[in-house]
Amino acid sequence: MRLPDWVVGRLAEPVWDLYEGSVRLRTYRRLARDQFDAPEALERRRRERLGELVRHAAAPSPFHARRLRDAGIDPRGVRDIADLRGLPLLTKADIRGDLDDILAADHRREDLVPAKTGGSTGTALHVYCDRRGVERRNGAALLADTWSGWRLGQPMGAVWGNPPAPRTLRNRLRLACKDRIVYLDTMRLDEASVREFAAGWRRLRPGLLYGHAHSLYLLAGMLEEMGERLRPDGIVATSMMLLQPEREVIERVFARPVTNRYGCEEVSLIACECERHAGLHLNAEHAAVELLRDDGSPCSPGEDGRIVVTEFVNLGMPMLRYEVGDRGVLHDRPCPCGRPSPLLRTVTGRTADFLVAADGSRVAGISLIENTLTRYPGIGQLQVVQEVVGRVELYVVRATGWDEAVAAALTGVFRDSLGGAEVALRFVDTIPREPNGKYRFSICRVPGVRSGA
Ligand SMILES: [Zn+2]
């Protein structure tokens, strides 16, 4: 039986939050209420949250305490992100090398929510967030979802790499009553899986379609060829660059505008378009985003720079001046919608092609990398390159823990996912950026296959 959306939105969602003692919906409602506040009110809240983060989270973290001291910054005096300008950037290498020291000492490790990341960056990282922080992050994501046209309580359709299988009764109940989601697994994108997805879609009637930008583009093309029509109220493209020609195809096929969203596992939502699609609003209630020149000085609006994020809501693993690894440009104008949070005009960074299996089906490179990099030890960085169907090269930066067993497992996953392709391992010291500064972790040069970048 399909529960009516209003029952889920007004009953199942609040009851579930109450049951879990979660602040997710409370955060969502507060953010929704405050989203059109005066800029001064937003600024006041941001200063308070930044001060709180530095005093209560960074100070108990041995890593941050040391860095603040070395930079001559008194945590009690921090009011504005400019007060942290003397602090070195927090890099992925710092997180890999000093994770234990970065975590706040007043949180127990077992109380934190772990996450592994890799697919979007090609670099394996283990990160944590305290439970309250996760709920606040989810509240902010709900608000961003509503900007796309989706309404609280509506089911969702997801084009994703690892559809979670609900194992416990509690999770099955949750999926049936609340998280009603139909998945299309990007590990295998072919006509049969798309037909199954479309049938599931018609049963569940989702209000939102979300997924990696390039996966949505491929899905749109396949649906069009197959004569299938899906009509979501909103479409959210996330995790990868949304390229303009792909955006146009998605919008034409689904007859809805695409809402471009930018974030990462380490600091969650960074920026998202509103219903005006004039740029991506920074998640200003929950984070301070800096755009920096290569010499470390702040960029002017309109100037391309490195994206550096300080997230206010994760007190378990404070992320102070985290260098995400992408580049972006701040808009010089506010959004016509009236929301005070500034706009990112563009984000450039992550792209990953789909690969081609022996039977011609498509396999999302981002999902393959996520599935291997985060599962096996000893892989510092990973890149897959395919020149012809039936063969791929894997470029591996080896790290502690690498051994023959990992090599065999890694090779096996790529071989099996690509229908028996030959896999050649190549060991390298670094994986270079493209001439345009972008990292590409999955490159497909098979003739006749439309690339993702
Ligand atoms: Zn706006």
Side-chain angles (χ1 to χ4, degrees), residues 88-96 117-125 127 137 239-241 261-271 282 287-292 305-311 319-328 344 346-351 381 433 437-439 441:
L89 301 185
L90 177 65
T91 63
K92 294 182 202 303
D94 292 330
I95 293 178
R96 268 202 305 279
T117 149
S120 55
T121 59
T123 309
L125 278 187
V127 289
R137 286 173 167 187
S239 293
M240 298 172 73
M241 274 182 73
R261 186 188 295 182
Y262 169 59
C264 63
E265 197 69 56
E266 302 91 292
V267 290
S268 72
L269 176 68
I270 298 171
L282 295 178
V289 177
E290 298 172 83
L291 283 119
L292 301 180
R306 297 142 74 187
I307 296 179
V308 172
V309 178
T310 299
E311 193 194 10
M319 301 292 271
L320 260 60
R321 306 198 85 205
Y322 174 60
E323 174 152 39
V324 181
D326 299 322
R327 302 181 70 89
L344 265 184
T346 53
V347 184
T348 48
R350 293 171 258 162
T351 60
Q381 219 177 351
R433 286 172 184 258
K438 285 191 262 179
Y439 275 123
F441 297 97

Side-chain angles (χ1 to χ4, degrees), residues 143-150 208 233-236 256-257 259 273:
L143 178 70
D145 287 340
T146 63
W147 291 352
S148 76
W150 173 83
L208 181 71
D233 295 307
I235 305 173
V236 171
R256 290 293 303 164
T259 298
E273 287 182 358

Side-chain angles (χ1 to χ4, degrees), residues 274-413:
C274 70
E275 66 285 345
R276 302 297 286 263
H277 306 282
L280 293 87
H281 281 283
L282 295 178
N283 182 15
E285 295 273 2
H286 282 183
V289 177
E290 298 172 83
L291 283 119
L292 301 180
R293 297 178 182 136
D294 289 336
D295 67 3
S297 60
C299 294
S300 312
E303 191 182 342
D304 172 75
R306 297 142 74 187
I307 296 179
V308 172
V309 178
T310 299
E311 193 194 10
F312 306 147
V313 298
N314 183 0
L315 304 184
M317 179 171 176
M319 301 292 271
L320 260 60
R321 306 198 85 205
Y322 174 60
E323 174 152 39
V324 181
D326 299 322
R327 302 181 70 89
V329 176
L330 268 183
H331 227 304
D332 53 1
R333 283 190 301 274
C335 187
C337 73
R339 291 180 183 91
S341 59
L343 291 179
L344 265 184
R345 196 172 74 196
T346 53
V347 184
T348 48
R350 293 171 258 162
T351 60
D353 296 352
F354 269 67
L355 306 170
V356 187
D359 63 0
S361 64
R362 304 295 186 85
V363 179
I366 192 169
S367 306
L368 258 177
I369 290 198
E370 192 87 53
N371 279 351
T372 46
L373 193 61
T374 59
R375 191 192 307 165
Y376 303 119
I379 310 173
Q381 219 177 351
L382 186 61
Q383 182 187 50
V384 53
V385 180
Q386 184 176 33
E387 306 278 354
V388 292
V389 175
R391 183 185 162 85
V392 291
E393 324 262 353
L394 283 187
Y395 293 89
V396 181
V397 178
R398 285 171 292 180
T400 320
W402 174 269
D403 59 20
E404 283 308 309
V406 173
L410 181 66
T411 311
V413 171

Side-chain angles (χ1 to χ4, degrees), residues 154-222:
Q154 285 188 305
M156 296 185 177
V159 187
W160 212 248
N162 309 298
R167 294 183 204 289
T168 61
L169 178 66
R170 173 193 162 101
N171 283 347
R172 277 208 294 275
L173 189 70
R174 178 181 173 139
L175 200 67
C177 301
K178 194 177 85 63
D179 304 335
R180 298 170 303 161
I181 300 181
V182 52
Y183 282 104
L184 174 62
D185 189 351
T186 47
M187 287 291 282
R188 181 150 208 92
L189 211 54
D190 57 16
E191 201 175 313
S193 62
V194 170
R195 270 203 203 291
E196 197 182 314
F197 177 70
W201 181 285
R202 278 189 289 272
R203 276 196 302 276
L204 199 60
R205 296 192 303 282
L208 181 71
L209 173 68
Y210 76 90
H212 302 141
H214 190 59
S215 309
L216 293 175
Y217 161 76
L218 281 180
L219 171 65
M222 292 176 76

